[in-house]
PDB file of all heavy atoms in Angstrom:
ATOM      1  N   TYR B  90      -8.284  -0.273 -43.822  1.00 95.00           N
ATOM      2  CA  TYR B  90      -9.341   0.380 -44.600  1.00 95.00           C
ATOM      3  C   TYR B  90      -8.717   1.158 -45.755  1.00 95.00           C
ATOM      4  O   TYR B  90      -9.064   0.964 -46.921  1.00 95.00           O
ATOM      5  CB  TYR B  90     -10.139   1.312 -43.690  1.00 95.00           C
ATOM      6  CG  TYR B  90     -10.964   2.311 -44.454  1.00 95.00           C
ATOM      7  CD1 TYR B  90     -12.078   1.910 -45.179  1.00 95.00           C
ATOM      8  CD2 TYR B  90     -10.609   3.655 -44.482  1.00 95.00           C
ATOM      9  CE1 TYR B  90     -12.823   2.820 -45.891  1.00 95.00           C
ATOM     10  CE2 TYR B  90     -11.352   4.571 -45.202  1.00 95.00           C
ATOM     11  CZ  TYR B  90     -12.456   4.154 -45.904  1.00 95.00           C
ATOM     12  OH  TYR B  90     -13.180   5.057 -46.624  1.00 95.00           O
ATOM     13  N   PHE B  93      -7.232  -1.184 -48.541  1.00 95.00           N
ATOM     14  CA  PHE B  93      -8.173  -1.811 -49.478  1.00 95.00           C
ATOM     15  C   PHE B  93      -8.879  -0.777 -50.339  1.00 95.00           C
ATOM     16  O   PHE B  93      -9.136  -1.003 -51.524  1.00 95.00           O
ATOM     17  CB  PHE B  93      -9.174  -2.683 -48.723  1.00 95.00           C
ATOM     18  CG  PHE B  93      -8.626  -4.031 -48.401  1.00 95.00           C
ATOM     19  CD1 PHE B  93      -7.984  -4.273 -47.194  1.00 95.00           C
ATOM     20  CD2 PHE B  93      -8.712  -5.071 -49.326  1.00 95.00           C
ATOM     21  CE1 PHE B  93      -7.450  -5.514 -46.896  1.00 95.00           C
ATOM     22  CE2 PHE B  93      -8.187  -6.311 -49.040  1.00 95.00           C
ATOM     23  CZ  PHE B  93      -7.548  -6.543 -47.821  1.00 95.00           C
ATOM     24  N   ALA B  94      -9.154   0.372 -49.747  1.00 94.00           N
ATOM     25  CA  ALA B  94      -9.762   1.434 -50.549  1.00 94.00           C
ATOM     26  C   ALA B  94      -8.836   1.772 -51.721  1.00 94.00           C
ATOM     27  O   ALA B  94      -9.260   1.873 -52.874  1.00 94.00           O
ATOM     28  CB  ALA B  94      -9.998   2.654 -49.681  1.00 94.00           C
ATOM     29  N   LEU B  96      -6.517  -0.165 -53.032  1.00 93.00           N
ATOM     30  CA  LEU B  96      -6.519  -1.288 -53.978  1.00 93.00           C
ATOM     31  C   LEU B  96      -7.663  -1.130 -54.966  1.00 93.00           C
ATOM     32  O   LEU B  96      -7.493  -1.222 -56.178  1.00 93.00           O
ATOM     33  CB  LEU B  96      -6.686  -2.604 -53.224  1.00 93.00           C
ATOM     34  CG  LEU B  96      -5.446  -3.253 -52.639  1.00 93.00           C
ATOM     35  CD1 LEU B  96      -5.822  -4.543 -51.930  1.00 93.00           C
ATOM     36  CD2 LEU B  96      -4.428  -3.536 -53.735  1.00 93.00           C
ATOM     37  N   SER B  97      -8.836  -0.830 -54.411  1.00 94.00           N
ATOM     38  CA  SER B  97     -10.015  -0.701 -55.251  1.00 94.00           C
ATOM     39  C   SER B  97      -9.789   0.384 -56.312  1.00 94.00           C
ATOM     40  O   SER B  97      -9.957   0.140 -57.512  1.00 94.00           O
ATOM     41  CB  SER B  97     -11.222  -0.363 -54.389  1.00 94.00           C
ATOM     42  OG  SER B  97     -12.311  -0.073 -55.228  1.00 94.00           O
ATOM     43  N   THR B  98      -9.378   1.543 -55.857  1.00 92.00           N
ATOM     44  CA  THR B  98      -9.108   2.628 -56.808  1.00 92.00           C
ATOM     45  C   THR B  98      -8.145   2.151 -57.874  1.00 92.00           C
ATOM     46  O   THR B  98      -8.374   2.352 -59.071  1.00 92.00           O
ATOM     47  CB  THR B  98      -8.408   3.815 -56.117  1.00 92.00           C
ATOM     48  OG1 THR B  98      -8.768   3.830 -54.774  1.00 92.00           O
ATOM     49  CG2 THR B  98      -8.715   5.092 -56.819  1.00 92.00           C
ATOM     50  N   CYS B 100      -7.571  -0.715 -59.052  1.00 93.00           N
ATOM     51  CA  CYS B 100      -8.214  -1.567 -60.049  1.00 93.00           C
ATOM     52  C   CYS B 100      -8.964  -0.715 -61.069  1.00 93.00           C
ATOM     53  O   CYS B 100      -8.869  -0.920 -62.276  1.00 93.00           O
ATOM     54  CB  CYS B 100      -9.175  -2.537 -59.365  1.00 93.00           C
ATOM     55  SG  CYS B 100      -8.334  -3.690 -58.293  1.00 93.00           S
ATOM     56  N   ILE B 122     -10.895  -7.745 -63.202  1.00 93.00           N
ATOM     57  CA  ILE B 122     -10.285  -6.619 -62.481  1.00 93.00           C
ATOM     58  C   ILE B 122     -11.346  -5.698 -61.899  1.00 93.00           C
ATOM     59  O   ILE B 122     -11.306  -5.346 -60.718  1.00 93.00           O
ATOM     60  CB  ILE B 122      -9.323  -5.865 -63.422  1.00 93.00           C
ATOM     61  CG1 ILE B 122      -8.067  -6.715 -63.609  1.00 93.00           C
ATOM     62  CG2 ILE B 122      -8.992  -4.490 -62.886  1.00 93.00           C
ATOM     63  CD1 ILE B 122      -7.099  -6.192 -64.633  1.00 93.00           C
ATOM     64  N   PHE B 124     -14.301  -6.453 -61.138  1.00 94.00           N
ATOM     65  CA  PHE B 124     -14.969  -7.198 -60.066  1.00 94.00           C
ATOM     66  C   PHE B 124     -14.159  -7.085 -58.762  1.00 94.00           C
ATOM     67  O   PHE B 124     -14.683  -6.738 -57.704  1.00 94.00           O
ATOM     68  CB  PHE B 124     -15.114  -8.671 -60.460  1.00 94.00           C
ATOM     69  CG  PHE B 124     -15.638  -9.532 -59.352  1.00 94.00           C
ATOM     70  CD1 PHE B 124     -16.994  -9.540 -59.045  1.00 94.00           C
ATOM     71  CD2 PHE B 124     -14.777 -10.325 -58.598  1.00 94.00           C
ATOM     72  CE1 PHE B 124     -17.466 -10.333 -58.010  1.00 94.00           C
ATOM     73  CE2 PHE B 124     -15.252 -11.109 -57.564  1.00 94.00           C
ATOM     74  CZ  PHE B 124     -16.602 -11.115 -57.270  1.00 94.00           C
ATOM     75  N   VAL B 125     -12.867  -7.321 -58.872  1.00 94.00           N
ATOM     76  CA  VAL B 125     -12.002  -7.200 -57.686  1.00 94.00           C
ATOM     77  C   VAL B 125     -12.065  -5.776 -57.149  1.00 94.00           C
ATOM     78  O   VAL B 125     -12.099  -5.542 -55.939  1.00 94.00           O
ATOM     79  CB  VAL B 125     -10.557  -7.603 -58.026  1.00 94.00           C
ATOM     80  CG1 VAL B 125      -9.633  -7.294 -56.857  1.00 94.00           C
ATOM     81  CG2 VAL B 125     -10.497  -9.072 -58.358  1.00 94.00           C
ATOM     82  N   GLY B 126     -12.160  -4.821 -58.082  1.00 95.00           N
ATOM     83  CA  GLY B 126     -12.314  -3.431 -57.642  1.00 95.00           C
ATOM     84  C   GLY B 126     -13.501  -3.276 -56.698  1.00 95.00           C
ATOM     85  O   GLY B 126     -13.422  -2.596 -55.676  1.00 95.00           O
ATOM     86  N   ILE B 127     -14.593  -3.966 -57.031  1.00 95.00           N
ATOM     87  CA  ILE B 127     -15.787  -3.859 -56.184  1.00 95.00           C
ATOM     88  C   ILE B 127     -15.566  -4.547 -54.833  1.00 95.00           C
ATOM     89  O   ILE B 127     -15.768  -3.948 -53.779  1.00 95.00           O
ATOM     90  CB  ILE B 127     -17.003  -4.499 -56.894  1.00 95.00           C
ATOM     91  CG1 ILE B 127     -17.320  -3.714 -58.176  1.00 95.00           C
ATOM     92  CG2 ILE B 127     -18.204  -4.528 -55.973  1.00 95.00           C
ATOM     93  CD1 ILE B 127     -18.306  -4.402 -59.088  1.00 95.00           C
ATOM     94  N   VAL B 128     -15.090  -5.793 -54.884  1.00 96.00           N
ATOM     95  CA  VAL B 128     -15.004  -6.524 -53.606  1.00 96.00           C
ATOM     96  C   VAL B 128     -13.965  -5.901 -52.676  1.00 96.00           C
ATOM     97  O   VAL B 128     -14.164  -5.852 -51.465  1.00 96.00           O
ATOM     98  CB  VAL B 128     -14.720  -8.038 -53.814  1.00 96.00           C
ATOM     99  CG1 VAL B 128     -15.938  -8.717 -54.407  1.00 96.00           C
ATOM    100  CG2 VAL B 128     -13.501  -8.259 -54.646  1.00 96.00           C
ATOM    101  N   THR B 129     -12.876  -5.364 -53.216  1.00 96.00           N
ATOM    102  CA  THR B 129     -11.907  -4.699 -52.318  1.00 96.00           C
ATOM    103  C   THR B 129     -12.558  -3.490 -51.667  1.00 96.00           C
ATOM    104  O   THR B 129     -12.368  -3.232 -50.473  1.00 96.00           O
ATOM    105  CB  THR B 129     -10.655  -4.249 -53.104  1.00 96.00           C
ATOM    106  OG1 THR B 129     -11.062  -3.666 -54.335  1.00 96.00           O
ATOM    107  CG2 THR B 129      -9.709  -5.397 -53.353  1.00 96.00           C
ATOM    108  N   ALA B 130     -13.383  -2.759 -52.435  1.00 94.00           N
ATOM    109  CA  ALA B 130     -14.059  -1.597 -51.846  1.00 94.00           C
ATOM    110  C   ALA B 130     -14.953  -2.039 -50.690  1.00 94.00           C
ATOM    111  O   ALA B 130     -15.018  -1.396 -49.648  1.00 94.00           O
ATOM    112  CB  ALA B 130     -14.879  -0.888 -52.910  1.00 94.00           C
ATOM    113  N   VAL B 131     -15.625  -3.176 -50.877  1.00 93.00           N
ATOM    114  CA  VAL B 131     -16.491  -3.695 -49.809  1.00 93.00           C
ATOM    115  C   VAL B 131     -15.634  -4.151 -48.629  1.00 93.00           C
ATOM    116  O   VAL B 131     -15.899  -3.818 -47.461  1.00 93.00           O
ATOM    117  CB  VAL B 131     -17.355  -4.869 -50.333  1.00 93.00           C
ATOM    118  CG1 VAL B 131     -18.169  -5.461 -49.195  1.00 93.00           C
ATOM    119  CG2 VAL B 131     -18.247  -4.386 -51.455  1.00 93.00           C
ATOM    120  N   ALA B 132     -14.556  -4.871 -48.950  1.00 94.00           N
ATOM    121  CA  ALA B 132     -13.683  -5.386 -47.895  1.00 94.00           C
ATOM    122  C   ALA B 132     -13.162  -4.249 -47.021  1.00 94.00           C
ATOM    123  O   ALA B 132     -13.035  -4.389 -45.798  1.00 94.00           O
ATOM    124  CB  ALA B 132     -12.511  -6.142 -48.514  1.00 94.00           C
ATOM    125  N   ALA B 133     -12.914  -3.101 -47.657  1.00 92.00           N
ATOM    126  CA  ALA B 133     -12.408  -1.957 -46.896  1.00 92.00           C
ATOM    127  C   ALA B 133     -13.346  -1.642 -45.734  1.00 92.00           C
ATOM    128  O   ALA B 133     -12.911  -1.324 -44.631  1.00 92.00           O
ATOM    129  CB  ALA B 133     -12.255  -0.757 -47.817  1.00 92.00           C
ATOM    130  N   PHE B 134     -14.653  -1.780 -45.998  1.00 85.00           N
ATOM    131  CA  PHE B 134     -15.636  -1.435 -44.964  1.00 85.00           C
ATOM    132  C   PHE B 134     -15.584  -2.369 -43.763  1.00 85.00           C
ATOM    133  O   PHE B 134     -15.828  -1.957 -42.636  1.00 85.00           O
ATOM    134  CB  PHE B 134     -17.047  -1.433 -45.564  1.00 85.00           C
ATOM    135  CG  PHE B 134     -17.434  -0.093 -46.090  1.00 85.00           C
ATOM    136  CD1 PHE B 134     -17.676   0.115 -47.441  1.00 85.00           C
ATOM    137  CD2 PHE B 134     -17.532   0.991 -45.219  1.00 85.00           C
ATOM    138  CE1 PHE B 134     -18.010   1.369 -47.908  1.00 85.00           C
ATOM    139  CE2 PHE B 134     -17.870   2.240 -45.687  1.00 85.00           C
ATOM    140  CZ  PHE B 134     -18.104   2.435 -47.040  1.00 85.00           C
ATOM    141  N   TYR B 167     -17.589   7.672 -51.649  1.00 91.00           N
ATOM    142  CA  TYR B 167     -17.394   6.224 -51.630  1.00 91.00           C
ATOM    143  C   TYR B 167     -18.636   5.504 -52.154  1.00 91.00           C
ATOM    144  O   TYR B 167     -18.543   4.599 -52.976  1.00 91.00           O
ATOM    145  CB  TYR B 167     -17.073   5.748 -50.206  1.00 91.00           C
ATOM    146  CG  TYR B 167     -16.099   4.607 -50.186  1.00 91.00           C
ATOM    147  CD1 TYR B 167     -14.730   4.854 -50.041  1.00 91.00           C
ATOM    148  CD2 TYR B 167     -16.524   3.295 -50.329  1.00 91.00           C
ATOM    149  CE1 TYR B 167     -13.827   3.811 -50.040  1.00 91.00           C
ATOM    150  CE2 TYR B 167     -15.619   2.257 -50.318  1.00 91.00           C
ATOM    151  CZ  TYR B 167     -14.270   2.513 -50.170  1.00 91.00           C
ATOM    152  OH  TYR B 167     -13.374   1.485 -50.170  1.00 91.00           O
ATOM    153  N   TYR B 170     -18.902   6.062 -55.791  1.00 93.00           N
ATOM    154  CA  TYR B 170     -17.850   5.253 -56.415  1.00 93.00           C
ATOM    155  C   TYR B 170     -18.313   3.813 -56.575  1.00 93.00           C
ATOM    156  O   TYR B 170     -18.265   3.248 -57.672  1.00 93.00           O
ATOM    157  CB  TYR B 170     -16.592   5.332 -55.558  1.00 93.00           C
ATOM    158  CG  TYR B 170     -15.502   4.378 -55.968  1.00 93.00           C
ATOM    159  CD1 TYR B 170     -14.772   4.563 -57.134  1.00 93.00           C
ATOM    160  CD2 TYR B 170     -15.200   3.277 -55.170  1.00 93.00           C
ATOM    161  CE1 TYR B 170     -13.777   3.675 -57.504  1.00 93.00           C
ATOM    162  CE2 TYR B 170     -14.197   2.381 -55.527  1.00 93.00           C
ATOM    163  CZ  TYR B 170     -13.496   2.590 -56.693  1.00 93.00           C
ATOM    164  OH  TYR B 170     -12.505   1.719 -57.048  1.00 93.00           O
ATOM    165  N   ILE B 174     -18.709   1.840 -60.162  1.00 93.00           N
ATOM    166  CA  ILE B 174     -17.908   0.698 -60.628  1.00 93.00           C
ATOM    167  C   ILE B 174     -18.782  -0.553 -60.793  1.00 93.00           C
ATOM    168  O   ILE B 174     -18.538  -1.375 -61.656  1.00 93.00           O
ATOM    169  CB  ILE B 174     -16.676   0.391 -59.745  1.00 93.00           C
ATOM    170  CG1 ILE B 174     -17.040   0.197 -58.289  1.00 93.00           C
ATOM    171  CG2 ILE B 174     -15.616   1.468 -59.902  1.00 93.00           C
ATOM    172  CD1 ILE B 174     -15.858  -0.285 -57.450  1.00 93.00           C
ATOM    173  N   LEU B 238      -1.951  -5.730 -57.727  1.00 95.00           N
ATOM    174  CA  LEU B 238      -3.038  -6.700 -57.602  1.00 95.00           C
ATOM    175  C   LEU B 238      -3.499  -7.179 -58.971  1.00 95.00           C
ATOM    176  O   LEU B 238      -3.588  -8.388 -59.244  1.00 95.00           O
ATOM    177  CB  LEU B 238      -4.214  -6.069 -56.843  1.00 95.00           C
ATOM    178  CG  LEU B 238      -5.464  -6.935 -56.712  1.00 95.00           C
ATOM    179  CD1 LEU B 238      -5.145  -8.280 -56.070  1.00 95.00           C
ATOM    180  CD2 LEU B 238      -6.540  -6.228 -55.898  1.00 95.00           C
ATOM    181  N   SER B 378     -10.675  -9.101 -44.322  1.00 95.00           N
ATOM    182  CA  SER B 378     -10.863  -8.344 -45.564  1.00 95.00           C
ATOM    183  C   SER B 378     -10.226  -9.063 -46.745  1.00 95.00           C
ATOM    184  O   SER B 378     -10.850  -9.253 -47.786  1.00 95.00           O
ATOM    185  CB  SER B 378     -10.245  -6.947 -45.402  1.00 95.00           C
ATOM    186  OG  SER B 378     -10.787  -6.324 -44.264  1.00 95.00           O
ATOM    187  N   LEU B 381     -12.166 -12.189 -47.732  1.00 95.00           N
ATOM    188  CA  LEU B 381     -13.415 -11.877 -48.428  1.00 95.00           C
ATOM    189  C   LEU B 381     -13.140 -11.729 -49.925  1.00 95.00           C
ATOM    190  O   LEU B 381     -13.820 -12.328 -50.767  1.00 95.00           O
ATOM    191  CB  LEU B 381     -14.016 -10.581 -47.891  1.00 95.00           C
ATOM    192  CG  LEU B 381     -15.331 -10.179 -48.592  1.00 95.00           C
ATOM    193  CD1 LEU B 381     -16.468 -11.083 -48.167  1.00 95.00           C
ATOM    194  CD2 LEU B 381     -15.672  -8.721 -48.342  1.00 95.00           C
ATOM    195  N   VAL B 382     -12.080 -10.995 -50.238  1.00 96.00           N
ATOM    196  CA  VAL B 382     -11.741 -10.774 -51.645  1.00 96.00           C
ATOM    197  C   VAL B 382     -11.419 -12.111 -52.323  1.00 96.00           C
ATOM    198  O   VAL B 382     -12.024 -12.471 -53.335  1.00 96.00           O
ATOM    199  CB  VAL B 382     -10.537  -9.809 -51.766  1.00 96.00           C
ATOM    200  CG1 VAL B 382     -10.152  -9.626 -53.228  1.00 96.00           C
ATOM    201  CG2 VAL B 382     -10.866  -8.478 -51.124  1.00 96.00           C
TER     202      VAL B 382
END
Side-chain angles (χ1 to χ4, degrees):
Chain B
Y90 163 70
F93 278 92
L96 276 180
S97 172
T98 332
C100 295
I122 286 173
F124 173 78
V125 172
I127 296 169
V128 290
T129 43
V131 176
F134 269 116
Y167 215 94
Y170 171 71
I174 54 172
L238 176 55
S378 305
L381 179 73
V382 178

